[in-house]
Amino acid sequence: MTSQETSRPGSIWNKAGGIAFGGDYNPEQWPVSVRLEDLDLMQEAGVNFLSVGIFSWALLEPAEGQYDFGWLDEVMDNLAGIGVKVALATATAAPPAWLVRKHPEILPVTADGTVLGPGSRRHYTPSSAAYRRYATGITRVLAERYRAHPALALWHVDNELGCHVSEFYGEEDAAAFRGWLERRYGTIDALNASWGTAFWSQNYGSFDEIQPPAVAPSTLNPGQQLDFQRFSSWALMDYYRELVAVLRDVTPDVPCTTNLMASSATKSMDYFDWAKDLDVIANDHYLVAADPERHVELAFSADLTRGIAGGEPWILMEHSTSAVNWQPRNQPKMPGEMLRNSLAHVARGADAVMFFQWRQSFAGSEKFHSAMVPHGGRDTRVWREVVELGAALKRLEPVRGSRVRSRAAIVFDYEAWWASEIDSKPSVDVKYLDLLRAFHRALVLRGISVDLVHPSASLEGYDLVLVCTLYAVSDGDAANIAAAAAAGATVLVSYFSGIVDMQDHVRLGGYPGAFRELLGVRVEEFHPLLAGGQLRLSDGAVSSVWSEHVHLSGAEAIQTFTGYPLEGVPSLTRRAVGSGAAWYLATFPDRDGIESLLDRLLAESGVSPVAAADPGVERVRRFAPDGQSFLFAINHTRSEAAVEASGTDLLTGKAFTGTVPAGGVAVVAEG
């Protein structure tokens, strides 16, 4: 199921047809002769979509009010000539040197007061009035110049907003924070009540007294920290909206987006909140080479992006053909890994596969970051795999516009993530994503499709709903989750969920607060484990990180703790609710324990893999509006693997034989 079945206005972005294919194109780095060669290579590879001009402000406006569009005019015209559509950037991701010199106040300030200087990128604060004035200026000039250009298909607004720096502590940021707080609370008394400022003599007499939560002698007010995180996400989004307002004024029919960084590593922006302002969701994703299960993290990122998109197709705006340049050890991708990565994103909802970048730079800090055209040129494995991928994506044209349908959902909330990891919690070992990702991993490896959804999203149609470490939750969202169980779903809620409201105020009367009635349990006291501690449970399973003193008040104990001081205390409970059930997990099981628990939950809910297959085969199914289904089978092993499916393999054009080659992919049009 998806939480949204209507098309977004940004669905018109893909004017190239089929699955879009290309990358971040930086022609300003190259002479005309290379740019002309690029046109031939793009046609050879099957490129039909490019992002252009992301870091080009200093060349487009070399001095204030003096413009040079000759090279960009040439590039746009040439790309249109070979049928390539363009996501044209606003060029605002790195201010030019002349702007920094004239307005040094645009530079970001960190929590300890350090001013971050130029010489890199993203060296501005979104709350700077001067920066916004110049950024909207160059955006309007670009929009007016290229408003009718045949290559223009999408506006790429700024770039990776919040990357490198996501919180800002300068004077203008402080003023913007105070203004945001005043709009949010209305009165200083309301703010004092929300932040609990009676503690430690923190009461404020006016909004003018408030500063961002910078470095302080001891732990900071958690309400202040949480609101500053909300503000920081809003400030970047408000800057995005100001640029979009210019683009809407000049080019109302051209959709707008920016590239998010939805992954297990990015928590600074509430992308569910951002989604309503993006005409199409776009995401950047990079593997961590040292992660032996990096394809599982990729699946998490793609599922999260699909959830942010409300189930709609989305754009993979950046990933890498091979190695990156920013990890301690930048290992190249293995043979066939780029194809598997790319089609895994498509399997999970992407209708575009794009890379950073088209041609590998010969200078600058990213010169060893891989690209579609590597330093070695055409006679390289990377180039041959790029051409192979382009051909494969052409064959997947029937998949475009189809959607993933899942019967399982994992609730995901950025605000709960922020609140749960503010300091002074019962255990530093409780991390918001750990249990959530453990369940997601187990589902992915079983070939079970799962959506990552906001707690306010409709849960209708989901037979299994997992609620992991949802520390902060509103009354409405808690009721939404309870309603899913009453309607027939199997709902699992984990420890450290429902503990506080959205002001980070503890829900009194016993944990887990908002979910006590649903679960039929009351937790008297937390018993977090010391570093490295483990527990043996009554069924022989092993757990770590967390335990607690659970009392039954309507639920039945399925599993108990063993040993002092919680001998016989429930560690896993179940309560029948309406036509469904509510389970409570009071500890963090090891992988075997997660698998055993999932066996129970899947059996009760009736959720099953999308197709039977040998271990190591990733399986996802997309459905077209006419009912046609496409099974993606991605073999992450080095041996041939069997998959139970029938139909035509779109990648070969032949009947699917029931096996996927070692390291290979099949996309089966079923029926």
Side-chain angles (χ1 to χ4, degrees), residues 577-646:
V577 180
S579 55
W583 294 64
Y584 182 59
L585 177 63
T587 191
F588 191 157
D590 63 8
R591 285 187 174 181
D592 289 342
I594 292 285
E595 295 292 344
S596 177
L597 175 54
L598 265 181
D599 285 341
R600 293 173 180 265
L601 299 174
L602 294 172
E604 179 175 281
S605 65
V607 173
S608 59
V610 298
D614 286 339
V617 179
E618 184 176 352
R619 288 147 282 163
V620 188
R621 183 175 283 119
R622 288 180 64 162
F623 294 86
D626 63 2
Q628 174 69 62
S629 60
F630 306 96
L631 176 68
F632 286 72
I634 304 167
N635 185 359
H636 294 287
T637 76
R638 298 178 67 183
S639 302
E640 184 179 81
V643 178
E644 191 174 299
S646 62

Side-chain angles (χ1 to χ4, degrees), residues 77-89:
D77 291 347
N78 287 342
L79 292 177
I82 61 171
V84 172
K85 297 300 180 181
V86 169
L88 186 58

Side-chain angles (χ1 to χ4, degrees), residues 18 30 74 115 121 145 191 351 366 375 424 497 508 590 647:
W30 301 97
E74 169 219 313
V115 177
R121 59 178 179 172
R145 187 172 189 89
L191 179 141
D351 270 3
E366 292 185 300
H375 289 151
S424 303
S497 294
L508 302 178
D590 63 8

Side-chain angles (χ1 to χ4, degrees), residues 121-122 159-166 236 258-269 271 282-286 297 301 304-305 308 318 414 417:
R121 59 178 179 172
R122 306 228 53 84
N159 186 71
E160 291 186 333
L161 288 161
C163 185
H164 308 307
V165 188
S166 58
L236 287 161
T258 190
N259 42 340
L260 308 181
M261 300 170 289
S263 73
S264 62
T266 304
K267 67 180 277 193
S268 300
M269 285 78 71
Y271 287 145
N283 194 52
D284 295 352
H285 182 264
Y286 292 96
E297 197 284 325
S301 172
L304 177 56
T305 305
I308 294 165
E318 290 183 22
Y414 285 96
W417 187 358

